[in-house]
Amino acid sequence: MATSTAYPRSGSPSQTKRHTNAKTHPPATVLLIYPLTLILGSIYSVISPTARSSQNFGSSSSLTPTIATDINLPTSQRQHRPNPVNYFARKNNIFNLYFVKIGWVWITFAFLSLLLTRPYYTKAPGNLRGKRSVQALLRYAIVTCAWFLTTQWFFGPAIIDRTFVITGGKCERLPAAMANADDNTAWEDLKVVFTAAACKASGGLWKGGHDVSGHVFMLVLGSAFLALEVLGTSQSVSNGTAENSQVHDKCESDGEYTVVNEHSSTDPVARYSTKFVWVVIGLSWWMLFMTAIWFHTWLEKLSGLLISVSVVYITYFLPRSLPAWADIIGIPGFEPAVRIE
Ligand SMILES: CCCCCCCCCCCCCCCC(=O)SCCNC(=O)CCNC(=O)[C@H](O)C(C)(C)COP(=O)(O)O
Ligand SMILES: Nc1ncnc2c1ncn2[C@@H]1O[C@H](COP(=O)(O)O)[C@@H](OP(=O)(O)O)[C@H]1O
């Protein structure tokens, strides 16, 4: 008889019965796709003649031996440089402007479309729908907070801007009025000295420090978040049977398992929303690959990757071995185990 529930720990007694969507509950090794993408991009940037010539014209700085060097040049100097040959090496490529630069909006829409259309939420029995939705929103809040603090604001400049300044970087060649910012200067002026976006917008040169790749960070975090959500909440294989099969759900009210019929994979809205999410994931991967080829040093890409993978690990993989944490944020597609006593 089922008497208590718990998330399984590795090495827990064999009498624990899991209700997990094993085939769609990916192992941590899936995250290897990201370092592999960065390695592949870096290799391509070395062996491709086009990429190599792009690096050569941007090699004036020994600190950033890629066309990332060019990124920080003031407009006047940039105008004398040829436009990169490859479309995706241009910062103003349409995918960078309308996808990556407003990337968190796309990720938010994709996540909401899952939350509103997936049978895992919409057809969940009893108060399980509320619990699953709240936990999903909590996971979204965690990754959004991480994105916000790392790239936008961390009690002032974002973490990547602070890292840049701490490692010796600064905003150079600022117009004189801006450069004289002191303790009494308004935040708007200080921002120019301490944040990459404001420095570049004022015509300054963001130069000299370790410039963690915001693109790598955001694209890895956003795509891993969506992929783990979409896979975890997939109804394709639950108990060894095919799609449209019966899915076991634990009914919180009486502690017993109930069997819930789900026919919603035939629901076109759910299908389109899943496709939309995979398009966002696919485009994120492609833009990550492009960043890997055309922008930044390998160390700057690696630091972006490490920060994002840490957040993903804490949100999606740590709960598997830490039941107390799993109770709070949940594991998509992974129901509590039932201990048979
Ligand atoms: C005590 C802790 C307090 C923490 C407070 C956290 C508050 C979180 C609020 C979050 C608001 C969520 C809003 C969600 C809706 C949106 O997505 S609106 C924002 C839209 N903006 C973007 O999507 C920008 C995405 N772009 C970037 O982040 C950067 O451009 C980049 C990709 C990192 C690259 O950087 P560059 O400098 O441009 O190269
Ligand atoms: N895949 C990509 N496509 C186009 N531009 C990219 C890119 N990856 C990075 N960049 C550009 O490289 C600069 C540094 O990126 P990041 O630090 O976020 O990785 C940014 O320039 P701007 O800030 O001048 O727009 C960004 O737009």
Side-chain angles (χ1 to χ4, degrees):
M1 196 179 114
T3 54
S4 64
T5 63
Y7 283 93
R9 274 173 189 277
S10 35
S12 62
S14 58
Q15 283 155 310
T16 300
K17 185 180 177 188
R18 295 178 196 189
H19 279 250
T20 173
N21 196 342
K23 287 228 171 131
T24 54
H25 195 61
T29 46
V30 292
L31 295 179
L32 283 175
I33 189 165
Y34 295 115
L36 288 176
T37 302
L38 294 185
I39 290 169
L40 201 66
S42 297
I43 292 174
Y44 182 85
S45 74
V46 173
I47 60 174
S48 151
T50 317
R52 270 216 314 273
S53 64
S54 294
Q55 287 165 13
N56 291 340
F57 79 68
S59 62
S60 54
S61 160
S62 57
L63 282 169
T64 49
T66 70
I67 65 166
T69 317
D70 192 49
I71 286 158
N72 293 329
L73 285 174
T75 320
S76 55
Q77 286 186 37
R78 260 185 250 154
Q79 276 159 1
H80 300 297
R81 289 180 170 277
N83 226 350
V85 178
N86 189 292
Y87 179 71
F88 286 99
R90 300 178 192 174
K91 288 192 286 186
N92 63 353
N93 79 66
I94 199 163
F95 299 98
N96 195 41
L97 294 184
Y98 297 107
F99 181 70
V100 187
K101 287 285 184 175
I102 52 163
W104 214 257
V105 174
W106 288 105
I107 286 156
T108 300
F109 279 147
F111 166 72
L112 290 179
S113 80
L114 284 181
L115 199 61
L116 297 175
T117 64
R118 287 241 128 180
Y120 180 73
Y121 299 110
T122 58
K123 299 273 166 65
N127 57 5
L128 203 52
R129 178 178 188 180
K131 185 183 175 189
R132 284 177 179 178
S133 304
V134 167
Q135 288 181 328
L137 284 166
L138 215 54
R139 292 191 295 272
Y140 169 77
I142 291 170
V143 290
T144 300
C145 235
W147 160 73
F148 190 75
L149 296 173
T150 308
T151 68
Q152 309 292 310
W153 176 90
F154 183 75
F155 306 97
I159 288 172
I160 54 179
D161 288 342
R162 286 179 186 273
T163 310
F164 184 79
V165 172
I166 288 168
T167 52
K170 58 178 193 255
C171 189
E172 290 178 3
R173 300 200 210 154
L174 268 178
M178 299 283 189
N180 295 331
D182 56 30
D183 286 351
N184 300 321
T185 314
W187 167 235
E188 283 310 306
D189 294 333
L190 279 174
K191 247 176 31 185
V192 173
V193 183
F194 292 116
T195 73
C199 167
K200 290 175 197 172
S202 306
L205 246 169
W206 195 238
K207 201 169 165 231
H210 178 78
D211 188 14
V212 176
S213 171
H215 272 56
V216 169
F217 168 79
M218 195 197 74
L219 293 168
V220 170
L221 182 65
S223 61
F225 162 63
L226 289 177
L228 290 165
E229 288 292 333
V230 79
L231 289 174
T233 59
S234 162
Q235 58 177 337
S236 59
V237 182
S238 175
N239 54 357
T241 53
E243 193 149 296
N244 283 335
S245 67
Q246 294 177 321
V247 175
H248 291 258
D249 274 312
K250 182 180 176 297
C251 183
E252 294 288 294
S253 53
D254 60 9
E256 296 294 330
Y257 279 94
T258 55
V259 176
V260 181
N261 276 311
E262 296 195 30
H263 301 289
S264 333
S265 62
T266 53
D267 174 7
V269 179
R271 272 190 287 122
Y272 281 121
S273 109
T274 303
K275 279 184 186 145
F276 169 61
V277 173
W278 280 112
V279 167
V280 173
I281 294 169
L283 207 46
S284 299
W285 179 84
W286 176 253
M287 292 308 282
L288 176 71
F289 188 44
M290 292 302 107
T291 303
I293 296 175
W294 303 107
F295 298 91
H296 281 285
T297 63
W298 65 267
L299 203 56
E300 291 168 345
K301 288 179 269 200
L302 182 68
S303 53
L305 174 74
L306 286 179
I307 305 174
S308 51
V309 165
S310 310
V311 178
V312 171
Y313 187 83
I314 289 168
T315 316
Y316 289 94
F317 296 97
L318 190 61
R320 296 183 190 182
S321 55
L322 212 61
W325 183 222
D327 277 340
I328 298 169
I329 61 163
I331 306 174
F334 204 109
E335 295 306 319
V338 178
R339 203 168 291 134
I340 317 286
E341 289 175 353

mmCIF file of all heavy atoms in Angstrom, residues 28-54:
data_model
loop_
_atom_site.group_PDB
_atom_site.id
_atom_site.type_symbol
_atom_site.label_atom_id
_atom_site.label_comp_id
_atom_site.label_asym_id
_atom_site.label_seq_id
_atom_site.Cartn_x
_atom_site.Cartn_y
_atom_site.Cartn_z
ATOM 1 N N ALA A 28 21.909 14.393 -17.368
ATOM 2 C CA ALA A 28 22.684 15.651 -17.365
ATOM 3 C C ALA A 28 23.646 15.730 -18.551
ATOM 4 O O ALA A 28 24.015 16.829 -18.988
ATOM 5 C CB ALA A 28 23.452 15.778 -16.049
ATOM 6 N N THR A 29 23.989 14.552 -19.107
ATOM 7 C CA THR A 29 24.953 14.558 -20.213
ATOM 8 C C THR A 29 24.405 15.271 -21.463
ATOM 9 O O THR A 29 25.187 15.621 -22.344
ATOM 10 C CB THR A 29 25.355 13.117 -20.582
ATOM 11 O OG1 THR A 29 24.174 12.324 -20.649
ATOM 12 C CG2 THR A 29 26.324 12.532 -19.574
ATOM 13 N N VAL A 30 23.070 15.483 -21.526
ATOM 14 C CA VAL A 30 22.552 16.201 -22.711
ATOM 15 C C VAL A 30 23.144 17.599 -22.785
ATOM 16 O O VAL A 30 23.242 18.188 -23.869
ATOM 17 C CB VAL A 30 21.000 16.322 -22.745
ATOM 18 C CG1 VAL A 30 20.336 14.997 -22.940
ATOM 19 C CG2 VAL A 30 20.471 17.066 -21.551
ATOM 20 N N LEU A 31 23.566 18.118 -21.638
ATOM 21 C CA LEU A 31 24.123 19.473 -21.630
ATOM 22 C C LEU A 31 25.447 19.543 -22.394
ATOM 23 O O LEU A 31 25.918 20.629 -22.731
ATOM 24 C CB LEU A 31 24.321 19.962 -20.186
ATOM 25 C CG LEU A 31 23.039 20.136 -19.356
ATOM 26 C CD1 LEU A 31 23.371 20.593 -17.950
ATOM 27 C CD2 LEU A 31 22.089 21.147 -20.021
ATOM 28 N N LEU A 32 26.016 18.361 -22.675
ATOM 29 C CA LEU A 32 27.287 18.338 -23.435
ATOM 30 C C LEU A 32 27.126 18.939 -24.830
ATOM 31 O O LEU A 32 28.106 19.340 -25.460
ATOM 32 C CB LEU A 32 27.794 16.898 -23.566
ATOM 33 C CG LEU A 32 28.460 16.321 -22.302
ATOM 34 C CD1 LEU A 32 28.813 14.861 -22.514
ATOM 35 C CD2 LEU A 32 29.705 17.132 -21.954
ATOM 36 N N ILE A 33 25.887 19.000 -25.295
ATOM 37 C CA ILE A 33 25.662 19.581 -26.624
ATOM 38 C C ILE A 33 26.196 21.020 -26.693
ATOM 39 O O ILE A 33 26.668 21.474 -27.744
ATOM 40 C CB ILE A 33 24.164 19.525 -27.009
ATOM 41 C CG1 ILE A 33 23.989 19.913 -28.471
ATOM 42 C CG2 ILE A 33 23.306 20.432 -26.146
ATOM 43 C CD1 ILE A 33 22.658 19.567 -29.056
ATOM 44 N N TYR A 34 26.170 21.711 -25.558
ATOM 45 C CA TYR A 34 26.612 23.113 -25.573
ATOM 46 C C TYR A 34 28.131 23.262 -25.705
ATOM 47 O O TYR A 34 28.588 23.955 -26.620
ATOM 48 C CB TYR A 34 26.053 23.855 -24.355
ATOM 49 C CG TYR A 34 24.543 23.945 -24.412
ATOM 50 C CD1 TYR A 34 23.752 23.300 -23.478
ATOM 51 C CD2 TYR A 34 23.914 24.654 -25.426
ATOM 52 C CE1 TYR A 34 22.367 23.370 -23.541
ATOM 53 C CE2 TYR A 34 22.529 24.728 -25.508
ATOM 54 C CZ TYR A 34 21.756 24.087 -24.559
ATOM 55 O OH TYR A 34 20.389 24.163 -24.630
ATOM 56 N N PRO A 35 28.927 22.606 -24.819
ATOM 57 C CA PRO A 35 30.383 22.713 -25.056
ATOM 58 C C PRO A 35 30.782 22.175 -26.422
ATOM 59 O O PRO A 35 31.670 22.736 -27.076
ATOM 60 C CB PRO A 35 31.000 21.887 -23.915
ATOM 61 C CG PRO A 35 29.893 21.187 -23.248
ATOM 62 C CD PRO A 35 28.628 21.898 -23.571
ATOM 63 N N LEU A 36 30.082 21.108 -26.881
ATOM 64 C CA LEU A 36 30.425 20.563 -28.203
ATOM 65 C C LEU A 36 30.161 21.588 -29.299
ATOM 66 O O LEU A 36 30.929 21.726 -30.246
ATOM 67 C CB LEU A 36 29.634 19.274 -28.475
ATOM 68 C CG LEU A 36 30.074 18.051 -27.655
ATOM 69 C CD1 LEU A 36 29.170 16.854 -27.929
ATOM 70 C CD2 LEU A 36 31.538 17.712 -27.948
ATOM 71 N N THR A 37 29.047 22.324 -29.159
ATOM 72 C CA THR A 37 28.731 23.371 -30.144
ATOM 73 C C THR A 37 29.810 24.449 -30.145
ATOM 74 O O THR A 37 30.265 24.893 -31.213
ATOM 75 C CB THR A 37 27.359 24.012 -29.803
ATOM 76 O OG1 THR A 37 26.377 22.986 -29.791
ATOM 77 C CG2 THR A 37 26.981 25.085 -30.803
ATOM 78 N N LEU A 38 30.229 24.845 -28.950
ATOM 79 C CA LEU A 38 31.258 25.895 -28.871
ATOM 80 C C LEU A 38 32.591 25.395 -29.443
ATOM 81 O O LEU A 38 33.290 26.133 -30.154
ATOM 82 C CB LEU A 38 31.442 26.358 -27.417
ATOM 83 C CG LEU A 38 30.236 27.073 -26.783
ATOM 84 C CD1 LEU A 38 30.580 27.601 -25.397
ATOM 85 C CD2 LEU A 38 29.744 28.232 -27.659
ATOM 86 N N ILE A 39 32.906 24.135 -29.160
ATOM 87 C CA ILE A 39 34.164 23.578 -29.692
ATOM 88 C C ILE A 39 34.108 23.512 -31.214
ATOM 89 O O ILE A 39 35.027 23.929 -31.920
ATOM 90 C CB ILE A 39 34.436 22.172 -29.094
ATOM 91 C CG1 ILE A 39 34.787 22.301 -27.607
ATOM 92 C CG2 ILE A 39 35.559 21.453 -29.835
ATOM 93 C CD1 ILE A 39 34.826 20.983 -26.857
ATOM 94 N N LEU A 40 32.964 23.015 -31.719
ATOM 95 C CA LEU A 40 32.785 22.918 -33.162
ATOM 96 C C LEU A 40 32.915 24.292 -33.818
ATOM 97 O O LEU A 40 33.592 24.458 -34.843
ATOM 98 C CB LEU A 40 31.400 22.321 -33.450
ATOM 99 C CG LEU A 40 31.179 21.684 -34.797
ATOM 100 C CD1 LEU A 40 32.039 20.439 -34.924
ATOM 101 C CD2 LEU A 40 29.697 21.317 -34.976
ATOM 102 N N GLY A 41 32.261 25.291 -33.221
ATOM 103 C CA GLY A 41 32.322 26.657 -33.756
ATOM 104 C C GLY A 41 33.746 27.187 -33.744
ATOM 105 O O GLY A 41 34.201 27.808 -34.705
ATOM 106 N N SER A 42 34.446 26.927 -32.654
ATOM 107 C CA SER A 42 35.823 27.425 -32.553
ATOM 108 C C SER A 42 36.715 26.740 -33.588
ATOM 109 O O SER A 42 37.568 27.387 -34.206
ATOM 110 C CB SER A 42 36.380 27.180 -31.148
ATOM 111 O OG SER A 42 35.608 27.905 -30.220
ATOM 112 N N ILE A 43 36.514 25.428 -33.768
ATOM 113 C CA ILE A 43 37.313 24.710 -34.777
ATOM 114 C C ILE A 43 37.028 25.291 -36.159
ATOM 115 O O ILE A 43 37.933 25.582 -36.938
ATOM 116 C CB ILE A 43 37.010 23.197 -34.744
ATOM 117 C CG1 ILE A 43 37.527 22.591 -33.439
ATOM 118 C CG2 ILE A 43 37.637 22.478 -35.945
ATOM 119 C CD1 ILE A 43 37.150 21.132 -33.234
ATOM 120 N N TYR A 44 35.725 25.501 -36.438
ATOM 121 C CA TYR A 44 35.355 26.059 -37.745
ATOM 122 C C TYR A 44 36.001 27.425 -37.938
ATOM 123 O O TYR A 44 36.494 27.754 -39.022
ATOM 124 C CB TYR A 44 33.829 26.173 -37.856
ATOM 125 C CG TYR A 44 33.379 26.689 -39.193
ATOM 126 C CD1 TYR A 44 33.223 25.822 -40.269
ATOM 127 C CD2 TYR A 44 33.128 28.048 -39.388
ATOM 128 C CE1 TYR A 44 32.831 26.305 -41.517
ATOM 129 C CE2 TYR A 44 32.739 28.535 -40.626
ATOM 130 C CZ TYR A 44 32.585 27.656 -41.690
ATOM 131 O OH TYR A 44 32.206 28.140 -42.900
ATOM 132 N N SER A 45 36.009 28.236 -36.870
ATOM 133 C CA SER A 45 36.572 29.586 -37.001
ATOM 134 C C SER A 45 38.071 29.536 -37.287
ATOM 135 O O SER A 45 38.629 30.473 -37.848
ATOM 136 C CB SER A 45 36.294 30.411 -35.740
ATOM 137 O OG SER A 45 37.117 29.991 -34.687
ATOM 138 N N VAL A 46 38.722 28.433 -36.929
ATOM 139 C CA VAL A 46 40.156 28.308 -37.198
ATOM 140 C C VAL A 46 40.411 27.773 -38.607
ATOM 141 O O VAL A 46 41.283 28.263 -39.322
ATOM 142 C CB VAL A 46 40.818 27.376 -36.143
ATOM 143 C CG1 VAL A 46 42.269 27.094 -36.516
ATOM 144 C CG2 VAL A 46 40.742 28.011 -34.772
ATOM 145 N N ILE A 47 39.580 26.786 -39.014
ATOM 146 C CA ILE A 47 39.891 26.164 -40.312
ATOM 147 C C ILE A 47 39.233 26.851 -41.511
ATOM 148 O O ILE A 47 39.698 26.709 -42.627
ATOM 149 C CB ILE A 47 39.544 24.649 -40.332
ATOM 150 C CG1 ILE A 47 38.046 24.445 -40.055
ATOM 151 C CG2 ILE A 47 40.378 23.864 -39.327
ATOM 152 C CD1 ILE A 47 37.630 22.979 -40.205
ATOM 153 N N SER A 48 38.141 27.601 -41.263
ATOM 154 C CA SER A 48 37.466 28.236 -42.402
ATOM 155 C C SER A 48 38.245 29.469 -42.863
ATOM 156 O O SER A 48 38.532 30.354 -42.056
ATOM 157 C CB SER A 48 36.051 28.650 -42.001
ATOM 158 O OG SER A 48 35.641 29.760 -42.749
ATOM 159 N N PRO A 49 38.575 29.543 -44.157
ATOM 160 C CA PRO A 49 39.305 30.717 -44.663
ATOM 161 C C PRO A 49 38.524 32.010 -44.433
ATOM 162 O O PRO A 49 39.096 33.036 -44.091
ATOM 163 C CB PRO A 49 39.439 30.429 -46.163
ATOM 164 C CG PRO A 49 39.178 28.973 -46.326
ATOM 165 C CD PRO A 49 38.301 28.551 -45.202
ATOM 166 N N THR A 50 37.185 31.959 -44.587
ATOM 167 C CA THR A 50 36.370 33.171 -44.393
ATOM 168 C C THR A 50 36.479 33.642 -42.956
ATOM 169 O O THR A 50 36.690 34.822 -42.676
ATOM 170 C CB THR A 50 34.881 32.865 -44.688
ATOM 171 O OG1 THR A 50 34.808 32.082 -45.850
ATOM 172 C CG2 THR A 50 34.082 34.127 -44.816
ATOM 173 N N ALA A 51 36.328 32.693 -42.031
ATOM 174 C CA ALA A 51 36.371 33.070 -40.619
ATOM 175 C C ALA A 51 37.765 33.556 -40.247
ATOM 176 O O ALA A 51 37.916 34.509 -39.484
ATOM 177 C CB ALA A 51 35.962 31.882 -39.761
ATOM 178 N N ARG A 52 38.796 32.904 -40.822
ATOM 179 C CA ARG A 52 40.172 33.309 -40.491
ATOM 180 C C ARG A 52 40.458 34.718 -40.969
ATOM 181 O O ARG A 52 41.064 35.506 -40.271
ATOM 182 C CB ARG A 52 41.164 32.328 -41.115
ATOM 183 C CG ARG A 52 41.505 31.172 -40.204
ATOM 184 C CD ARG A 52 42.972 30.764 -40.360
ATOM 185 N NE ARG A 52 43.376 30.668 -41.738
ATOM 186 C CZ ARG A 52 43.236 29.575 -42.502
ATOM 187 N NH1 ARG A 52 42.683 28.510 -41.984
ATOM 188 N NH2 ARG A 52 43.629 29.560 -43.741
ATOM 189 N N SER A 53 39.948 35.057 -42.171
ATOM 190 C CA SER A 53 40.221 36.403 -42.661
ATOM 191 C C SER A 53 39.472 37.431 -41.826
ATOM 192 O O SER A 53 39.950 38.530 -41.603
ATOM 193 C CB SER A 53 39.841 36.533 -44.135
ATOM 194 O OG SER A 53 38.453 36.361 -44.285
ATOM 195 N N SER A 54 38.297 37.050 -41.308
ATOM 196 C CA SER A 54 37.566 37.956 -40.421
ATOM 197 C C SER A 54 38.385 38.209 -39.169
ATOM 198 O O SER A 54 38.453 39.322 -38.657
ATOM 199 C CB SER A 54 36.225 37.354 -40.032
ATOM 200 O OG SER A 54 35.399 37.253 -41.154
#
